[in-house]
Amino acid sequence: MQTQRLRIAIQKKGRLSTECKDLLKRCGVKFNLIGERLVVHCENMPIDLLLVRDDDIPGLIMDGVVDLGFIGENELEEVGLERAARNEPSNYTMLRRLDFGGCRLSIAIDKDEAYNGPQDLQGKRIATTYPQLVKRYMSEQGVTFSTCMLNGSVEVAPRAGLADAICDLVSTGATLEANGLKEVEVILQSKAVLIQRSGDFSADKQALIERLLTRMQGVIQAKE
Ligand code: ATP
Ligand code: ZN
């Protein structure tokens, strides 16, 4: 069900939320976030913001339910692989990479354990929220492993005896250190990106997207 208004999905609450809202505001998009509303109508442009969990954004774009979305590449790639494995559409257009949300997806093990390369992970159980990305990396390395799927508290899994290693998002490494872990492989470098659904757009929507992108370019350049 397509609407006249451009639908943009952003994370409701979390690490990408504030920067996405700031970026849109700097691009001249005016909106007022009140309460727990899922859809917010912008006041000065034909744009609706959809405030959702970041996990839902790739699917909303790939199903063509929203027009644009801000999402971390880690989540985008994971959902893309998962959907492709289920033969569901996983296409989208990358409009631009952004200058926030930087992190890396890394494998970490007990800090006292020896490590000489991916072969040392052979037969190990790896706790992660990103099983598809781990699977892709491990099969590229020719190493077999098992997973322990966790949506939170991944970093405590080894200490809790649930897994031998973890694969999780890292920015400073402080969380790993606090849990007695050391980073041994970086499997993905990630930033926030702006993506667009596949398919046709009305001339008006297309023009609005181009206007937003031009403004975004200006805003990002001014920051550099
Ligand atoms: P939601 O409730 O929307 O599902 P979440 O807990 O999955 O939120 P956040 O922790 O807010 O997600 O992270 C959102 C995104 O921010 C990550 O997927 C990643 O792209 C990016 N990010 C940047 N730095 C970090 C970090 N140090 N740890 C985790 N994510 C980070
Ligand atoms: Zn999430």
Side-chain angles (χ1 to χ4, degrees), residues 11 13-16 53-55 72 74 101-103 130 169 171:
Q11 189 188 23
K13 212 167 68 188
R15 290 178 201 259
L16 302 178
R53 288 200 57 179
D54 71 337
D55 313 50
N74 53 301
C103 58
Y130 301 93
L169 296 175
S171 45

Side-chain angles (χ1 to χ4, degrees), residues 171-201:
S171 45
T172 63
T175 307
L176 293 183
E177 209 187 319
N179 286 284
L181 301 171
K182 66 177 174 191
E183 191 173 356
V184 292
E185 300 290 345
V186 176
I187 76 167
L188 183 82
Q189 293 281 356
S190 178
K191 281 200 165 178
V193 291
L194 176 61
I195 55 173
Q196 176 182 304
R197 69 167 170 81
S198 298
D200 296 334
F201 287 84

